[in-house]
Amino acid sequence: MLRAHECRTIQYTRIGTMAATLVVGLSLFSPARAADPALRMDHLLARQAMNAASSAKATRVTTLPVIVVTERPLNRQMERQFTQLGGVIKSRYTIIQGFSGVLPASKLNAVAQLNWVSRISSDMTVKRLDEEANAAIGLPEAVSNQGVNGKGVTVAVLDSGIDNHKDLTNGQGASRVVAEVDFTGEGVADECGHGTCVAGIIGGNGTKSTGKNFFHTYAGVAPNTKLISLKILNKEGQGTVSAALSAIQWALQQQAKKHIRVLNLSFGHAPAESYTSDPLCKAVEAAWRRGVVVVCAAGNRGRSVVDDLNSPPAYGTINSPGNSPYVITVGATNTKNTADLSDDVMASYSSHGPSRLDHVVKPDLVAPGNRTVSLNVRRSTLFTRKSSNAIPWNAYSLKRDTDSATPFYYRFSGTSMAAAMVSGAAALMIQKDPSLTPDTVKGRLMKTARKSWNPAVGRYNPFVEGAGLVNIPAALNNHDVVKGKAFSPIAWRKENGHLALLNVGLLWNNSAIWSDSAIWSDSAIWSDSAIWSDSAIWSDSAIWSDSAIWSDSAIWSDSAIWSDSAIWSDSAIWSDSAIWSDSAIWSDSAIWSDISRTALEGDK
């Protein structure tokens, strides 16, 4: 489904009476050299292999979609070995040095033991992560004072396609969608409606709501940016990791020719392995290293109980590839449909950090995402299923005083929308200074983010709001340069109760902000002048309890992310139309008993 250099291994750390797995995202050891073939697979496939070995009944699922990362470039002999074991190769990749395909469950162990196989991962299903907002991020001020509009910057949108909407044209009526590529096999049209919405938030220019007959214009963040549609999601808003890998690979191949500076990924899947081996995370890391800003939605799994607005927060619910420390991961706020920041709150569904398995501090920042107005696609899945979200004519038009639905605009909610806001902000920053690196873009956005925007609420903790609410004028006016890497830090709680940070290189002119020795206390380095303010909440009762996210028994138990009420239900990733339907393997009693790991997987 959808979904580096050398490092070190951090051993299991005891928190209270429970063990917490901490994976640091620099190379730990080579999974291809592990004695146990299960250590070369993600947790899903390790369970599949275990079931296939112990029960002939489990092999009723004859083949599984997989992504294989190889130790060396694929050649004919390697392909022949894979096919002789019953595998079929679907797509080949250079960005992760590997391929996608299908493989009998009974042959997983055999393939994992091939000396050229580094890692086998599930080809998981990725899902879409579904006015006032512009004021909340300071856009009117930025446009007025800086004169930026995204001109000269191209943003590639990996989504469900982009419709031919008037708001995505230039002043002469020509489309600013300069390329459309389909990776679903269903054509380039946006039958879902999600991709067009995302494109509108990034680069809509408000053509259909501008003029003497209108009193409100619905425009995006960077209304003169060029867009590329890389369709990886179908009409239901679902796709596969392999399709996303192909799209990212295409974008990097066309990077120079198409002037691609930003990738927007408003989709994701619940992580089944460390970001150091997750194929989608490795692909976005490759894009980042090539100088492309990658913006990811955090996910919409922030409630412990999905349908309960008053449910306590669900920590550890960041989606892949937003769990990568390289990318900019964005959570969502709720503007309450006003331009006043003082009533804005976090959207209850916005996923919380830290990331599972790796404990990466996420999200990096937040942006408006609740009931955000963007472009509508008539006859799309979203519109036909809930036409009541379409904007009525009398909400913005003097020409038609009617509350009937307009065909042009629609209200959307989700971290998908928040990510699109930040992609637009990145485009504005790059237009102003084309020399900016992805690390400097990320660092400036985080450093200048509003640390407290609602006095009644005060600061949220950084696992909820990251560095704060994106502030475009402040980011445009900042001139700091990141000399190292703007990795999101990895957190763990030491036995003395202090919170420590790992990972992350040097920032801000070689002054170590995120270093191994950093402790997140009031007396440490996270002052108001840096990323986090002194008022950030790091209390024991908030996040650090044994029942939260830090132990193996929490991560992999039925009561954690793998329960029926979470990602594995029909209403979530594993729908009847998905890859793994009709399989008896995914029962609660079978899958998520603890899988013994004698070492930690790492990247090469």
Side-chain angles (χ1 to χ4, degrees), residues 281-561:
C281 289
K282 293 182 79 67
V284 296
E285 177 186 335
W288 191 270
R289 291 180 183 279
R290 287 275 297 271
V292 179
V293 176
V294 183
V295 182
C296 300
N300 299 337
R301 300 187 291 122
R303 301 185 192 124
S304 295
V305 180
V306 174
D307 296 324
D308 183 357
L309 295 178
N310 297 314
S311 171
Y315 288 99
T317 50
I318 299 294
N319 278 353
S320 170
N323 59 330
S324 167
Y326 289 86
V327 304
I328 302 172
T329 304
V330 188
T333 64
N334 182 349
T335 66
K336 298 297 184 73
N337 298 321
T338 73
D340 186 358
L341 276 176
S342 65
D343 65 355
D344 290 11
V345 296
M346 285 297 303
S348 60
Y349 51 77
S350 185
S351 285
H352 299 339
S355 69
R356 288 194 181 272
L357 299 177
D358 303 308
H359 303 163
V360 181
V361 180
K362 292 284 184 173
D364 296 299
L365 68 166
V366 295
N370 201 68
R371 293 185 61 76
T372 303
V373 177
S374 189
L375 309 183
N376 185 32
V377 179
R378 286 179 287 182
R379 297 179 297 277
S380 67
T381 299
L382 292 178
F383 179 75
T384 55
R385 288 183 180 171
K386 197 168 185 178
S387 59
S388 60
N389 276 357
I391 303 299
W393 283 104
N394 58 14
Y396 68 102
S397 174
L398 298 171
K399 187 175 182 180
R400 300 189 187 185
D401 186 17
T402 173
D403 60 3
S404 61
T406 171
F408 303 117
Y409 301 103
Y410 191 90
R411 285 196 183 276
F412 301 81
S413 294
T415 56
S416 287
M417 289 70 245
M421 288 271 179
V422 173
S423 289
L428 298 182
M429 295 171 68
I430 293 168
Q431 178 195 4
K432 182 179 178 182
D433 183 357
S435 70
L436 293 184
T437 66
D439 294 290
T440 294
V441 169
K442 180 178 178 179
R444 289 183 182 180
L445 284 170
M446 293 181 69
K447 186 172 182 179
T448 60
R450 300 179 193 273
K451 309 306 178 188
S452 180
W453 63 86
N454 184 340
V457 174
R459 284 302 310 272
Y460 292 93
N461 73 66
F463 290 145
V464 176
E465 70 165 7
L469 176 66
V470 64
N471 184 345
I472 293 180
L476 288 170
N477 286 322
N478 183 273
H479 300 290
D480 291 317
V481 176
V482 172
K483 298 296 186 181
K485 295 294 182 183
F487 299 152
S488 304
I490 290 176
W492 97 101
R493 187 185 180 193
K494 301 199 297 187
E495 291 198 19
N496 63 6
H498 290 167
L499 179 66
L501 296 182
L502 291 174
N503 212 7
V504 197
L506 301 178
L507 290 173
W508 311 125
N509 299 316
N510 291 325
S511 172
I513 292 182
W514 291 339
S515 66
D516 289 352
S517 62
I519 303 293
W520 281 357
S521 65
D522 283 353
S523 61
I525 55 176
W526 295 106
S527 65
D528 286 339
S529 63
I531 304 294
W532 313 111
S533 68
D534 286 346
S535 60
I537 302 170
W538 298 105
S539 64
D540 289 348
S541 60
I543 308 160
W544 306 108
S545 65
D546 288 343
S547 61
I549 54 176
W550 301 97
S551 67
D552 281 350
S553 61
I555 292 174
W556 300 111
S557 67
D558 288 345
S559 62
I561 62 170

Side-chain angles (χ1 to χ4, degrees), residues 18-42:
M18 305 184 76
T21 304
L22 179 63
V23 180
V24 173
L26 307 176
S27 187
L28 306 172
F29 82 96
S30 175
R33 293 171 178 80
D36 183 354
L39 294 179
R40 302 188 201 178
M41 307 178 204
D42 65 28

Side-chain angles (χ1 to χ4, degrees), residues 147-194:
V148 288
N149 56 18
K151 184 177 182 180
V153 181
T154 302
V155 180
V157 179
L158 281 70
D159 216 287
S160 61
I162 300 177
D163 190 53
N164 183 23
H165 197 288
K166 290 292 186 181
D167 281 17
L168 299 178
T169 59
N170 61 19
Q172 291 72 46
S175 176
R176 285 181 288 113
V177 182
V178 295
E180 298 178 278
V181 186
D182 172 44
F183 296 94
T184 68
E186 299 178 0
V188 297
D190 183 8
E191 298 179 281
C192 175
H194 188 265

